[in-house]
Amino acid sequence: MNRGVWIIAGVLGVALVATSWRYGYFGDELYFVAAGHHLDWGYVDKTPLVPFLALIADTVAPGSLWVLRIPAMLVTVAGVFVAALIARDLGGSRRAQVIAAGSYAVAPFLAGGGHLLATSTVDPFLWTVITWLVVRWVCLRDDKLLLWAGVVTAVSLQVKWLIVFFWLIAGVAILFVGPRELLRNKMLWLGAAIAVLTSVPQLLWQARNGWPQLQMGSVIAADEHASIGGAGGFLLVLALYSGAVGIPLGLYGLWRTLRLPQFRFLGITAIGLIVVFIATGGRPYYAASILPVLWAFGAVGLDGRRRWLPWVAWPVFLVSIAFVATSLPIRPVESLRASDEFSDFIDFESVGWPQLADEVAAAYRALPDNVRARTAIVGDAYWSASAMSMYGPERGLPTPYSPNRGYWYFGAPPENATNVLYIGDNNSDKIRASFAAVTRVATVDNKIGVQNGYQGAPIYLATKRNQPWSTLWPALRNL
């Protein structure tokens, strides 16, 4: 690997390490830690690998943001090298390898979230490895590469199920445009068997619980339609995720794959993924995982254009670096506001969880002793419950619960809990219908630094539950 790629990876790694400890946990990170402590073969909205990584980190160094985020930083930096390897195996020069690596390093959806432990950080790296192995097989016809692609696919399925869409669409594309010998390769099917067998525990969990992850698809589709609209919004956000370098380089790489007969299936797969995820209401970053291989094709296609390329490339890279910098947590906490623009959404959702726990603890301690002894803490959403799971014990709070998404499966409050201290407004109408009295006992203070969606949120005391938890808990379940 040439020196330029090492420099790019090193600079990115330093930036991620330098920012990994700032602002606190992102809401999903709190959930991954909580889910790790309720480790299972499946979840309503996640697969087991990332919760498992969170459990290891929280066991080795409880409460350490930096340790929790080590896997995310490692895979983000490693992706820089894999992108360069794709360009190298395509016959790209040292400069092409640097361009491919640099494109990966300045892509907002990769570098901007690389300091967070999330499925959207780990899965794109695994896709990049899989596409590299497939590209390398086309170039070398070394069948062991397809077996390794199956093994990495098995790992990817433990992060998200999105890689299934890649293989299904790629399989159809290969059937029509080749190389068809790939589909006849025994190593490919052996790798597929490994991927399927390792996913059986997940599938059994989903089957036992009514396939909740399929139900989550309609919830995500509704959320995406409300937030970005239809195809136009999807493509706009995908472009923002790609960045100033990624947009033209990805389009050029797509054009090149469609012109190269042996790689045409990759271009068709990229288009097919975008179409399928738009049609099914998927999130734009679902399709973004195919971009690194297109960037590598684009970078190799730029070889030989020595006169004008530096004059264009350097300014565009500088713009991309500046854009990525706005999405990393480098600003003072005091300057964050929940109304900040798109690039800062990770920042403000990572601020103020301890302060929220302080507010809940104060409301809980203010209850009369006889009421507090029979009161459970319930978050209206999995984020608030996860925050109480992280910060509640050190404040003397009991085990939190939530009927929202995956947290519902972690269990219902004990039967002797006839009262609930309820955080937030989501689903509060069902709480009112299930208790004799519901009183607002506190409001999260806007001035205490909470910038995670709970600023100004109500805290309710619901007393005298009117039915057993065995009946009420299933009725409260929501996605």
Side-chain angles (χ1 to χ4, degrees):
M1 195 64 65
N2 70 69
R3 184 182 302 175
V5 175
W6 279 99
I7 292 173
I8 291 169
V11 171
L12 177 61
V14 169
L16 295 178
V17 170
T19 56
S20 65
W21 55 273
R22 293 177 58 82
Y23 294 3
Y25 295 90
F26 183 53
D28 277 1
E29 289 180 302
L30 290 167
Y31 173 55
F32 290 135
V33 174
H37 286 284
H38 294 85
L39 198 62
D40 208 337
W41 288 112
Y43 299 92
V44 65
D45 49 359
K46 298 288 183 283
T47 45
L49 182 57
V50 175
F52 179 63
L53 294 174
L55 173 63
I56 293 174
D58 198 55
T59 301
V60 172
S64 172
L65 279 169
W66 187 81
V67 172
L68 178 73
R69 291 167 174 173
I70 286 176
M73 293 184 286
L74 288 177
V75 298
T76 302
V77 172
V80 171
F81 291 105
V82 180
L85 287 173
I86 299 174
R88 186 195 67 180
D89 288 340
L90 289 171
S93 66
R94 293 164 63 91
R95 185 180 66 173
Q97 295 170 41
V98 168
I99 292 174
S103 302
Y104 195 101
V106 300
F109 87 102
L110 295 168
H115 64 295
L116 300 174
L117 181 64
T119 56
S120 57
T121 304
V122 178
D123 207 36
F125 165 71
L126 296 173
W127 278 56
T128 306
V129 174
I130 291 166
T131 52
W132 166 55
L133 292 168
V134 172
V135 165
R136 188 169 173 80
W137 179 86
V138 173
C139 295
L140 302 178
R141 302 304 167 106
D142 181 353
D143 292 345
K144 294 191 297 294
L145 295 167
L146 296 180
L147 177 61
W148 280 111
V151 172
V152 181
T153 297
V155 177
S156 182
L157 287 168
Q158 304 302 314
V159 179
K160 270 190 170 309
W161 288 357
L162 298 177
I163 193 64
V164 172
F165 290 96
F166 167 80
W167 282 113
L168 289 177
I169 297 172
V172 173
I174 291 168
L175 192 62
F176 280 95
V177 302
R180 293 186 183 89
E181 55 267 36
L182 191 153
L183 296 180
R184 295 191 293 266
N185 194 289
K186 293 180 180 179
M187 286 297 185
L188 174 71
W189 294 106
L190 178 58
I194 292 171
V196 170
L197 287 174
T198 56
S199 299
V200 167
Q202 284 189 63
L203 295 172
L204 292 175
W205 187 95
Q206 291 289 327
R208 286 196 306 269
N209 290 281
W211 300 96
Q213 210 164 89
L214 297 181
Q215 300 171 38
M216 275 300 302
S218 60
V219 174
I220 291 172
D223 287 347
E224 289 304 294
H225 182 75
S227 60
I228 65 173
F234 184 101
L235 294 174
L236 175 61
V237 176
L238 182 60
L240 290 171
Y241 284 160
S242 304
V245 171
I247 295 170
L249 194 63
L251 290 173
Y252 180 46
L254 176 62
W255 179 78
R256 289 198 71 240
T257 60
L258 294 174
R259 287 176 57 87
L260 296 169
Q262 69 272 36
F263 291 113
R264 190 169 295 147
F265 74 94
L266 279 174
I268 295 172
T269 300
I271 295 171
L273 285 167
I274 293 172
V275 171
V276 166
F277 288 134
I278 289 175
T280 58
R283 303 190 192 281
Y285 78 81
Y286 293 177
S289 296
I290 196 65
L291 293 175
V293 70
L294 300 182
W295 295 333
F297 274 93
V300 174
L302 292 175
D303 269 347
R305 292 167 171 79
R306 299 182 180 277
R307 292 184 178 180
W308 58 266
L309 182 59
W311 296 99
V312 175
W314 283 113
V316 177
F317 268 105
L318 290 175
V319 170
S320 294
I321 292 170
F323 188 81
V324 168
T326 66
S327 63
L328 287 173
I330 58 176
R331 295 165 50 191
V333 173
E334 294 77 10
S335 70
L336 297 178
R337 293 294 181 269
S339 60
D340 279 351
E341 295 178 359
F342 168 80
S343 61
D344 295 326
F345 77 99
I346 287 176
D347 295 343
F348 72 75
E349 289 177 347
S350 303
V351 174
W353 297 114
Q355 292 89 333
L356 176 62
D358 289 338
E359 294 277 293
V360 175
Y364 183 74
R365 287 192 296 266
L367 300 176
D369 291 346
N370 62 325
V371 175
R372 186 170 60 247
R374 301 179 67 84
T375 298
I377 294 178
V378 176
D380 71 333
Y382 67 99
W383 276 15
S384 56
S386 299
M388 295 308 107
S389 177
M390 173 67 70
Y391 295 107
E394 63 193 40
R395 291 162 172 79
L397 298 178
T399 300
Y401 304 89
S402 177
N404 180 241
R405 295 197 179 182
Y407 220 100
W408 181 88
Y409 292 85
F410 300 165
E415 198 58 40
N416 65 351
T418 57
N419 311 317
V420 160
L421 194 65
Y422 193 76
I423 309 164
D425 242 341
N426 181 46
N427 220 31
S428 60
D429 54 335
K430 290 187 178 181
I431 293 294
R432 291 186 176 91
S434 305
F435 291 82
V438 177
T439 306
R440 187 168 184 156
V441 294
T443 300
V444 179
D445 192 341
N446 285 329
K447 299 178 182 179
I448 62 172
V450 176
Q451 296 289 339
N452 49 37
Y454 279 89
Q455 54 274 23
I459 300 175
Y460 297 107
L461 175 65
T463 56
K464 298 180 181 179
R465 174 171 43 85
N466 58 26
Q467 51 189 315
W469 281 115
S470 58
T471 302
L472 177 57
W473 199 241
L476 291 175
R477 177 178 177 265
N478 68 90
L479 295 179

